[in-house]
Amino acid sequence: MSKVEEKLAELGLTLPPVAAPVAAYVPALRTGEFVFTSGQLPMVGGKLPSTGKVGAEVTPEEAKELAQTCALNALAAVKSVIGDLDLIERVVKVVGFVASAPDFTGQPAVINGASELLGQALGEAGVHARSAVGVTVLPLDAPVEVELQVRIKPGA
């Protein structure tokens, strides 16, 4: 088990199986020293635990937990192409999408669920640039979606 996965276990979390794509794409792609994930939904066991808009059917607190699940799914996608999460040198960028009720403006706090998890699991390597964007709707009526861009250690 990698140090990153050990840290996740200390947090009471386990890396899930890679979520199956819902369309024509791959969960993650490596090019040179970088891995780019596709947008990861908060799938658990192949299903969304909740659906709807944040600020309406889904509370911001629930959405923050779902963003954490998205980050776990993204880490699983990264592992699927590099084999060992300890090879991550840096999470470069996180992009988070929040399906938002018209008056909801708390997207950054929701995506903190992903950012905080990455910091806890990867330490300094988990500190990243980020965008948190409100959108009208996401695939399968998911409340949140997260994608990662990570740099791999040289020679890995």
Side-chain angles (χ1 to χ4, degrees), residues 61-113:
E61 296 77 20
E62 291 169 324
K64 183 177 179 181
E65 290 179 19
L66 294 170
Q68 180 185 69
T69 301
C70 292
L72 278 173
N73 288 341
L75 287 173
V78 170
K79 182 180 178 184
S80 75
V81 296
I82 65 171
D84 183 350
L85 293 178
D86 290 345
L87 297 177
I88 295 174
E89 180 178 72
R90 163 80 62 197
V91 176
V92 177
K93 177 90 185 237
V94 171
V95 180
F97 302 95
V98 181
S100 302
D103 61 345
F104 182 72
T105 60
Q107 292 83 7
V110 169
I111 301 304
N112 278 348

